[in-house]
Amino acid sequence: MQKKLNSVQIRLCSIKRREFQRDVYRPGVISLSRLVWGSLGGGLLLTIIGILSKTTGIAVLFPPLAATCFINSTCVYLRVARPKSVIVGHFVASIGGLAGVLAGDFLAGGTDFAVSLKLGLAVLFAAVLMQIFDADHPPAAATAAIPAILPLPMSMYLFPVYMAWGATITVLFALAWNRVWFEYPASDEEHRTRHAGLFMDKAQILGLGLCAMSFALMCCKLVAPNFYYVGIWLMTIGVVVLGSHHFYELLRIDSDEGINEIRRLCEKN
């Protein structure tokens, strides 16, 4: 059954591959596929994160990751659901949140406006960092805001890495869960070529691979601390690769254009 009510479309068709295509598996369409597969995926994913956090001793902030679980299961065709946006977004937003708290304490510590200022600065800094590193991910704004109002369940120095660890879980789950029916990450205007079977740039795949390896190593926190410490550094490197590859691409393009310009000048002379 299909009905169109103003801007909302209702599709109560059986769960099949057609119902997971970009034009119908999206916000604005109430479909049996999203209601069942998307909702089940989001709930299952957050449960897995909770279990892993408890068993490994790696604390995370659940509210922002819950929003990520929803996006990675029901809004997967959006750019904000891509692995880079998810992992790098939570990492840099954590840094922005901490910077906002420190700046707020410095500017208005001890006043009635301290919390409000810290909240505003945390989201401001997080928004700037997410845009600079091409990692726009709305749930990460909550990652930035929470330190302004609640004590962190981990050291502030580990906050960005732990949130990247949790974000990596959401991406790995999405890779397995969504690809039962469709490609994840999905192709878009900038990602039309597959590398290693994924619609991602080679540098992004390298960064994601490093994050996945570090996730496994960090899970050894309670049984093999040395692996855990290696995982912390490897996660940081993976995020750097994921979040900065577009700068290298920009430099490469500028360099190529400069070389071509020099060649044209030499040919004229």
Side-chain angles (χ1 to χ4, degrees):
M1 182 183 73
Q2 302 180 33
K3 287 188 177 181
K4 181 77 172 180
L5 303 175
N6 295 324
S7 61
V8 178
Q9 183 181 163
I10 298 177
R11 297 175 62 91
L12 299 182
C13 305
S14 60
I15 298 177
K16 53 188 177 182
R17 196 166 297 277
R18 168 68 183 98
E19 296 303 304
F20 291 92
Q21 293 182 8
R22 185 187 298 268
D23 62 324
V24 293
Y25 197 78
R26 60 175 177 81
V29 178
I30 302 173
S31 69
L32 189 61
S33 299
R34 285 187 81 219
L35 288 171
V36 175
W37 191 257
S39 301
L40 180 61
L44 180 60
L45 174 52
L46 191 60
T47 301
I48 292 173
I49 294 174
I51 292 173
L52 288 174
S53 176
K54 183 70 173 179
T55 56
T56 61
I58 298 177
V60 294
L61 301 182
F62 289 103
L65 289 178
T68 296
C69 291
F70 174 79
I71 288 177
N72 279 20
S73 299
T74 63
C75 307
V76 291
Y77 288 106
L78 300 180
R79 184 182 178 88
V80 297
R82 296 188 66 83
K84 176 183 178 181
S85 297
V86 174
I87 298 174
V88 179
H90 280 292
F91 185 92
V92 299
S94 301
I95 296 174
L98 294 174
V101 170
L102 294 175
D105 281 334
F106 176 77
L107 295 173
T111 70
D112 294 337
F113 305 103
V115 172
S116 298
L117 183 60
K118 286 190 286 187
L119 282 169
L121 290 174
V123 174
L124 168 64
F125 293 153
V128 170
L129 289 174
M130 282 192 282
Q131 292 176 73
I132 289 175
F133 291 98
D134 185 32
D136 300 41
H137 189 63
T143 296
I146 288 177
I149 55 176
L150 295 172
L152 291 174
M154 76 289 283
S155 164
M156 63 179 291
Y157 302 106
L158 293 174
F159 180 36
V161 178
Y162 278 19
M163 288 306 295
W165 178 85
T168 300
I169 298 174
T170 70
V171 170
L172 295 178
F173 178 89
L175 282 168
W177 185 259
N178 293 322
R179 288 171 71 86
V180 171
W181 296 103
F182 55 90
E183 294 283 352
Y184 173 85
S187 63
D188 56 24
E189 293 182 358
E190 299 176 8
H191 305 90
R192 295 188 178 278
T193 303
R194 283 190 179 91
H195 296 103
L198 301 173
F199 286 108
M200 297 174 65
D201 296 335
K202 292 180 180 178
Q204 291 184 29
I205 293 176
L206 173 60
L208 178 58
L210 292 173
C211 290
M213 290 174 57
S214 67
F215 155 73
L217 292 172
M218 288 177 65
C219 286
C220 300
K221 177 183 179 182
L222 301 179
V223 295
N226 289 336
F227 287 169
Y228 161 75
Y229 292 123
V230 172
I232 288 177
W233 288 106
L234 194 61
M235 179 66 78
T236 304
I237 295 172
V239 171
V240 169
V241 173
L242 261 179
S244 61
H245 78 92
H246 56 286
F247 294 121
Y248 300 131
E249 184 68 16
L250 180 63
L251 291 174
R252 185 187 66 79
I253 293 174
D254 289 343
S255 176
D256 290 344
E257 290 178 349
I259 292 173
N260 291 334
E261 182 64 24
I262 292 173
R263 287 176 178 172
R264 284 194 294 269
L265 291 174
C266 291
E267 290 174 356
K268 288 182 179 180
N269 295 330

